[in-house]
């Protein structure tokens, strides 16, 4: 079974799974929508659709009772890179006043669906564009808390435009949200102080932006890139990864606990046998946790693993 990361880092063309979704299937989904009348601006909460549940969480925090948020990638047992669009997703998007998605190749189905479903007055927030992300960059940008600040600001502005009567409420919740990120930023600063320069590795670049924020030295980038691109890492990249684990050159290994890849799984076994601490990180926000608690829990796990 292949449950590999389907990000298209460094790949100019779609590779597999979701990325291979034919335009026709989007068209078919869009056709199914033709029977749905365009939704007029009704009173009541504003429909927000978030491609990923961590952006949905931010939308809920900024929108409060004034919004109804639908998060599409929300299943902790599912590889987001294998996501397939269903008619219910297309229907949710057709009703949305505000759509927010990651961009830079992480959720290419969203841009196609938006092109296929014309929503009058619909606003779209591409989070990668807010932080200067480019196709070819590591798409896991939500692992940088600054990204969430940018997403929250854009949501507050668009919600205020869509619903001027509550503009002050959105701005007040934005201030509260930004303040609520402080414990995550404090933890990063404290860990950076102690742990900057620590050599670490990962089977995929999921945690890359957080490693950068922590000032850690991330090894085996070629290996991570290959696994993420759904290709077999080169023999030399595998050998270098194994050597790092067996000789204790790296102090920690992060793996993507939401997807499974045979080569990555093998590295995890070698890490455990070599007494290199292993910490899992997830692609989407775990159920019952806020973004902050999710990040703090992963940071705590890293801190604990490195202090053993
Ligand atoms: Zn990924």
């Amino acid at each position: 079974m292949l449950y590999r990361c389907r990000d298209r880092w460094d790949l100019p063309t779609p590779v597999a799974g979701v990325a291979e979704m034919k335009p026709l299937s989007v068209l078919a989904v869009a056709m199914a929508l033709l029977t749905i009348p365009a939704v007029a601006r009704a009173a009541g909460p504003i429909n927000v659709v978030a491609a990923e549940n961590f952006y949905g969480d931010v939308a809920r925090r900024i929108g409060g009772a004034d919004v109804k948020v639908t998060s599409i990638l929300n299943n902790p047992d599912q590889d987001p890179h294998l996501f397939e669009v269903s008619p219910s997703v297309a229907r949710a998007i057709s009703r949305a006043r505000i759509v927010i998605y990651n961009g830079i190749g992480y959720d290419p189905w969203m841009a196609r669906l938006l092109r296929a479903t014309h929503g009058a007055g619909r606003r779209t927030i591409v989070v990668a564009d807010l932080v200067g992300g480019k196709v070819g960059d590591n798409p896991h940008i939500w692992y940088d808390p600054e990204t969430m600040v940018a997403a929250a600001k854009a949501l507050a502005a668009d919600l205020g435009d869509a619903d001027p009567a509550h503009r002050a409420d959105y701005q007040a919740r934005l201030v509260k949200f930004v303040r609520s990120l402080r414990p995550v930023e404090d933890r990063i600063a404290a860990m950076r102080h102690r742990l900057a320069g620590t050599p670490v590795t990962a089977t995929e670049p999921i945690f890359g932006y957080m490693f950068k924020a922590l000032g850690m030295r991330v090894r085996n980038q070629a290996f991570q890139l290959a696994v993420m691109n759904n290709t077999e890492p080169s023999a030399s990249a595998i050998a270098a990864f194994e050597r790092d684990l067996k000789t204790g050159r790296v102090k920690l290994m992060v793996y993507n606990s939401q997807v499974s890849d045979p080569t990555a799984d093998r590295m995890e076994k070698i890490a455990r046998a070599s007494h290199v601490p292993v910490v899992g990180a997830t692609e989407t926000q775990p159920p019952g946790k806020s973004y902050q608690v999710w990040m703090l829990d992963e940071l705590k796990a890293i801190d604990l693993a490195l202090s053993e």
Side-chain angles (χ1 to χ4, degrees):
M1 285 215 300
L2 288 177
Y3 288 110
R4 293 187 184 178
C5 200
R6 292 291 203 268
D7 298 319
R8 294 178 297 143
W9 206 10
D10 264 356
L11 287 187
T13 49
V15 283
V18 164
E20 257 180 11
M21 186 177 69
K22 303 282 186 294
L24 188 65
S25 62
V26 170
L27 190 66
V29 168
M31 292 293 279
L33 293 171
L34 288 176
T35 52
I36 299 168
V39 176
R41 287 196 180 189
I46 295 177
N47 280 318
V48 179
V49 171
E52 293 82 15
N53 68 351
F54 31 88
Y55 298 133
D57 181 28
V58 180
R60 218 169 277 117
R61 307 275 287 281
I62 304 298
D66 301 313
V67 298
K68 183 178 170 294
V69 179
T70 305
S71 293
I72 297 169
L73 296 178
N74 205 19
N75 184 346
D77 301 320
Q78 189 184 49
D79 179 354
H81 306 286
L82 297 177
F83 177 74
E84 282 178 33
V85 175
S86 66
S88 69
V89 168
R91 261 195 307 277
I93 288 167
S94 75
R95 291 196 197 105
R97 288 281 299 285
I98 295 174
V99 173
I100 181 166
Y101 71 101
N102 191 71
I104 51 173
Y106 190 71
D107 39 18
W109 47 270
M110 186 55 115
R112 289 183 203 136
L113 265 183
L114 286 169
R115 277 197 298 274
T117 59
H118 290 287
R122 181 174 62 204
R123 287 165 178 267
T124 301
I125 298 168
V126 185
V127 179
D129 292 348
L130 304 174
V131 294
K134 288 181 282 299
V135 175
D137 291 346
N138 178 351
H140 303 92
I141 52 176
W142 58 94
Y143 265 88
D144 179 352
E146 281 307 307
T147 300
M148 303 312 258
V149 172
K153 283 181 179 167
L155 280 163
D158 277 5
L159 283 166
D161 288 347
D163 177 22
H166 292 108
R167 196 187 295 274
D169 297 331
Y170 300 127
Q171 288 302 321
R173 291 191 202 107
L174 170 64
V175 170
K176 216 171 135 196
F177 176 77
V178 172
R179 206 183 295 139
S180 76
L181 289 171
R182 187 72 64 77
V184 181
E185 289 157 0
D186 288 350
R187 180 102 200 190
I188 292 170
M191 285 175 70
R192 188 185 172 97
H193 188 68
R194 286 184 280 113
L195 301 166
T198 303
V200 294
T201 194
T203 57
E204 278 185 53
I206 180 171
F207 203 74
Y209 291 98
M210 194 58 98
F211 274 142
K212 196 175 168 203
L214 294 167
M216 294 182 178
R217 289 209 328 270
V218 185
R219 296 177 55 82
N220 313 113
Q221 308 256 16
F223 179 100
Q224 297 180 44
L225 202 75
V227 171
M228 185 174 178
N229 283 338
N230 197 27
T231 55
E232 183 68 14
S234 70
S236 64
I238 294 173
F241 202 120
E242 286 193 30
R243 201 163 46 239
D244 273 5
L245 295 173
K246 287 175 178 166
T247 61
R249 178 114 191 228
V250 291
K251 304 300 174 205
L252 173 91
M253 189 192 99
V254 164
Y255 72 104
N256 185 343
S257 58
Q258 205 164 337
V259 305
S260 160
D261 173 275
T263 312
D265 291 350
R266 203 164 65 77
M267 290 304 143
E268 194 186 328
K269 286 196 186 79
I270 294 171
R272 291 188 193 281
S274 309
H275 305 290
V276 173
V278 171
V279 174
T282 63
E283 294 256 352
T284 51
Q285 193 166 310
K289 285 187 187 181
S290 66
Y291 173 77
Q292 288 89 334
V293 169
W294 176 31
M295 291 294 123
L296 280 172
D297 282 354
E298 292 195 349
L299 285 166
K300 272 181 218 161
I302 298 258
D303 213 355
L304 193 70
L306 284 170
S307 63
E308 272 166 4

